[in-house]
Amino acid sequence: MMPTVNYLAILVSAVVIFMLGGLWYSPLLFAKPWMALQGKTREDVQASGGAGPMMYLQVFLSGLVTSFIMAMLISRLNSHEALTGVKLSILCWAGFAAATSYGTALFSFKSRALWAIDTTFNLVSFVVAGIILALWQ
């Protein structure tokens, strides 16, 4: 049986994750070190065509999937407390996102610093989504 979820909360959570990603990878936060760690410049990104509408749509859909699955898990716990959302988010991040992305980073020869920027974004976005979804079921 599928758990009952709040689809508006899922949509809002996905929008927040998308906006957080825009801020996280902006010049205000980590754009410069993130690009430098990949050996890219702003000009390199612009010369390659940059991020187009389809890329943004796919990133938004990824946040939507994350929010939907998180909502299903939180619904199963039947808790409306922010702390429950935070705990579940950290567990999901540590067990799924951080662990698997670290292994991938190792075999892709990505630096630990680049992995840290990306995985910390995942942690923050999971926690924010967990809070929204736990409080707004």
Side-chain angles (χ1 to χ4, degrees):
M1 181 169 165
M2 190 95 149
T4 303
V5 295
N6 181 333
Y7 291 102
L8 182 56
I10 292 167
L11 180 61
V12 168
S13 174
V15 168
V16 170
I17 290 172
F18 184 78
M19 291 171 51
L20 179 62
L23 177 62
W24 196 267
Y25 293 102
S26 76
L28 291 173
L29 292 179
F30 299 105
K32 288 180 184 180
W34 184 76
M35 281 195 273
L37 288 164
Q38 296 192 79
K40 304 270 186 210
T41 65
R42 187 177 192 97
E43 292 75 27
D44 293 335
V45 173
Q46 290 172 341
S48 71
M54 286 307 293
M55 188 179 292
Y56 286 112
L57 176 61
Q58 291 174 64
V59 168
F60 176 75
L61 291 174
S62 295
L64 194 60
V65 169
T66 297
S67 298
F68 181 74
I69 299 301
M70 188 77 65
M72 288 178 39
L73 293 171
I74 289 171
S75 177
R76 288 280 186 198
L77 295 174
N78 197 25
S79 174
H80 299 276
E81 297 178 11
L83 187 56
T84 300
V86 170
K87 288 178 183 178
L88 178 66
S89 299
I90 292 170
L91 286 172
C92 287
W93 168 78
F96 304 121
T100 59
S101 67
Y102 187 70
T104 301
L106 287 173
F107 280 93
S108 300
F109 302 100
K110 291 182 180 175
S111 71
R112 286 189 174 100
L114 180 58
W115 172 80
I117 291 171
D118 290 336
T119 200
T120 305
F121 164 70
N122 285 330
L123 173 61
V124 172
S125 64
F126 279 30
V127 168
V128 170
I131 292 169
I132 291 169
L133 296 164
L135 293 175
W136 193 14
Q137 286 187 49

